[in-house]
């Protein structure tokens, strides 16, 4: 299991309010998103969401884990943007030659 993708899926599930909506945003099938969430919960040893046929709600552990996940994803985004910004800026010495 790719833990980073599982974390991103978990955050999308909570943000979108349903597994189906998260699957659409992630461009994955519903069973794939359900398996990803189940594997994440199994690896952590806790239930993150209480799910019924009509709605999902965060558990206490899920709420705490969600805060950490949001921070991890935000830090990753910041790191990627700082690298991209460095790539976009010209760097190095510039030598110009011209006739007198």
């Amino acid at each position: 299991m790719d833990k980073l993708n599982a974390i991103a899926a978990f955050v999308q599930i909570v943000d979108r309010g349903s597994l189906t909506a998260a699957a659409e945003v992630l461009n994955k099938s519903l069973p794939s998103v359900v398996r990803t969430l189940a594997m994440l919960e199994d690896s952590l040893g806790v239930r993150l969401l209480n799910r019924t046929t009509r709605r999902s709600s965060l558990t206490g552990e899920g709420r705490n884990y969600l805060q950490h996940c949001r921070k991890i994803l935000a830090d990753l985004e910041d790191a990627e943007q700082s690298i991209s910004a460095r790539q976009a800026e010209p760097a190095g010495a510039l030598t110009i030659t011209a006739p007198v």
Side-chain angles (χ1 to χ4, degrees):
M1 169 184 67
D2 182 3
K3 191 77 109 173
L4 191 56
N5 284 333
I7 287 171
F10 171 62
V11 171
Q12 284 297 324
I13 292 166
V14 173
D15 288 348
R16 303 294 174 206
S18 75
L19 292 161
T20 305
E24 289 174 9
V25 169
L26 296 169
N27 199 25
K28 294 184 178 183
S29 67
L30 177 60
S32 173
V33 173
V34 171
R35 278 192 306 271
T36 300
L37 179 61
M39 287 191 299
L40 181 61
E41 288 177 333
D42 286 344
S43 73
L44 295 171
V46 296
R47 193 145 185 74
L48 299 172
L49 292 170
N50 290 320
R51 298 182 290 281
T52 65
T53 55
R54 297 201 180 260
R55 65 183 289 247
S56 310
S57 62
L58 283 168
T59 63
E61 293 89 356
R63 200 170 298 108
N64 186 32
Y65 191 65
L66 179 63
Q67 290 174 353
H68 292 289
C69 290
R70 288 188 196 278
K71 183 175 180 338
I72 289 167
L73 293 174
D75 288 346
L76 180 62
E77 180 69 26
D78 289 344
E80 289 174 350
Q81 285 180 359
S82 71
I83 295 297
S84 296
R86 286 186 191 162
Q87 296 291 328
E89 295 176 6
L94 178 63
T95 304
I96 300 176
T97 59
V100 179

